[in-house]
Amino acid sequence: LKLQFLYLIGRLQSRLLVERMDAEAEREAGFARFLQMTDDEVERAPVSDANVSGVPVVDISELMKADTPTIDTPGVQEIAAACREWGFFQVRHHGIEESMCEELVRMSDAFFKLPAEVKKRIKRGADNPKGFFDDEFTKRKVDWKECFDYGMCKGVFDGGRDGLDGENQWLPEDEADTAAIKGFHEFMEAWLKATRHVASKLLSAMTLGLGIADHALLHGEFAEDSTFTRLNYYPVCPENDGKWSIMHHTDAGAVTVLHQSKVNSLQVFNLRDLKWYPVPPQEGCLVINTGDIMQVWSNDVYKAPLHRVRAQQHLERFSTPTFFNPSFDTVYKPVAGVGGAARYNPIVWREFRTKRAAGDFADLGTEVQIYHFRTEAAGNAPPAA
């Protein structure tokens, strides 16, 4: 009986291994097809009518409690699998109270409801990327949204100014026309620090999933991180037929931690079947996605997922991503021993981010992408414009 049990376990393990290898082959084939798609073809790709249960929801309570997580810490292998399959997943039991999430939406609403002339007192510009703006470009089209950016400077909140990091801009909260946002500055600092902590735990899990130490990337590259948080406001769009609040894009950094209000507009592109999938809000969950830096570090084992936001005709939406980014001096490339031969040449984060940010302000032609840094052996074939 014991031998029969061991035999059945062996058969099951072999079957799971074959299924995983088949899934990896399908993803690689889909990725190869994607590299040849134009932006227009990606935009017009079909939207799946399947339930979005394919985008996993992972309980990370044990990961958040672990001082030194291992591959066997509950949630770690589920995160690694989600990064391989989707690059997108949701997490629950992340340690941020629901009351704080509710206050985030309330504070965001209060800020964006301020008069336009008040918000524009802290408008960002080419010389300082932090602050309010309503004129960002994605895929050479102006987004249908308003935003407010703030973050770290050399790993310190409100740490002054350092080139591309810019300097946080805050409205005074004791004036008649800003009374509605009293406590805004203090709260937003707390939110960034809370989501930054979640992101650091997730990065540890992702690196463990690649077969390397949990601290291999975290302790060095993020010592003076350039992490920032963005408040997004998507107003109702009277003529929203086929209109996108944000066109499809990947995030340039390592890991993104997103809170979204209860409006279903977010979609993610799956490289396995080349279809779009909705990512509806789930109670108590944060949305996580890998970014371009993680795709390079993992040597394409984790792909940075394309995502977009559909405009809404009757509902306004709020979302708040925290972009967990390394020091601007970081030079990132595939980690040795991960995913075979290196598929990317080294990339300087400061230079890459500078070029990507320049495209936020105007239509400068083809956006810089990590695919422009692929090695000749990997196939230097960025998606066509």
Side-chain angles (χ1 to χ4, degrees), residues 17-253:
L17 178 60
V18 170
E19 289 178 352
R20 177 174 173 179
M21 291 174 66
D22 288 345
E24 291 283 357
E26 287 182 19
R27 283 194 292 275
E28 284 299 312
F31 184 54
R33 295 196 302 273
F34 160 71
L35 286 176
Q36 303 305 316
M37 294 175 72
T38 65
D39 279 339
D40 187 57
E41 288 171 333
V42 172
E43 182 181 350
R44 292 186 288 104
V47 177
S48 175
D49 57 4
N51 188 284
V52 78
S53 59
V55 176
V57 178
V58 182
D59 182 340
I60 60 169
S61 54
E62 293 303 314
L63 174 64
M64 295 304 297
K65 291 187 290 187
D67 292 331
T68 306
T70 70
I71 191 65
D72 295 319
T73 300
V76 169
Q77 294 187 45
E78 290 91 336
I79 289 169
C83 290
R84 284 183 166 87
E85 174 68 22
W86 290 92
F88 237 86
F89 55 101
Q90 302 202 53
V91 296
R92 59 165 50 102
H93 302 145
H94 41 69
I96 300 177
E97 297 292 337
E98 186 62 23
S99 59
M100 190 175 191
C101 296
E102 292 171 355
E103 180 66 1
L104 172 68
V105 175
R106 190 195 72 78
M107 280 282 193
S108 297
D109 182 54
F111 175 83
F112 288 112
K113 292 300 191 296
L114 292 174
E117 62 272 17
V118 174
K119 291 179 288 189
K120 288 182 178 179
R121 293 177 195 165
I122 54 171
K123 194 172 190 307
R124 78 171 187 181
D127 63 335
N128 185 6
K130 301 288 176 60
F132 169 79
F133 55 98
D134 57 2
D135 52 3
E136 184 165 70
F137 284 71
T138 304
K139 293 296 177 187
R140 304 165 65 181
K141 295 182 180 180
V142 179
D143 298 336
W144 185 266
K145 65 175 183 178
E146 296 181 15
C147 299
F148 173 75
D149 282 2
Y150 69 99
M152 314 298 291
C153 179
K154 288 191 171 183
V156 179
F157 186 79
D158 279 348
R161 186 185 185 91
D162 175 38
L164 191 60
D165 254 335
E167 185 174 10
N168 291 338
Q169 300 189 76
W170 304 99
L171 288 168
E173 299 172 14
D174 56 355
E175 298 180 0
D177 53 8
T178 60
I181 62 164
K182 187 173 180 60
F184 181 82
H185 184 174
E186 181 180 4
F187 178 85
M188 292 305 162
E189 177 180 3
W191 180 263
L192 185 151
K193 290 181 177 179
T195 49
R196 183 171 172 245
H197 178 61
V198 173
S200 70
K201 291 289 190 177
L202 292 168
L203 180 68
S204 292
M206 292 173 187
T207 54
L208 285 166
L210 294 172
I212 57 179
D214 71 292
H215 60 274
L217 301 171
L218 185 61
H219 291 178
E221 312 296 1
F222 290 83
E224 295 185 342
D225 60 311
S226 56
T227 299
F228 72 97
T229 293
R230 169 170 294 173
L231 307 185
N232 288 316
Y233 168 56
Y234 304 97
V236 295
C237 183
E239 299 177 2
N240 75 326
D241 184 27
K243 185 174 180 63
W244 299 98
S245 293
I246 306 179
M247 292 289 291
H248 61 271
H249 64 284
T250 59
D251 292 343

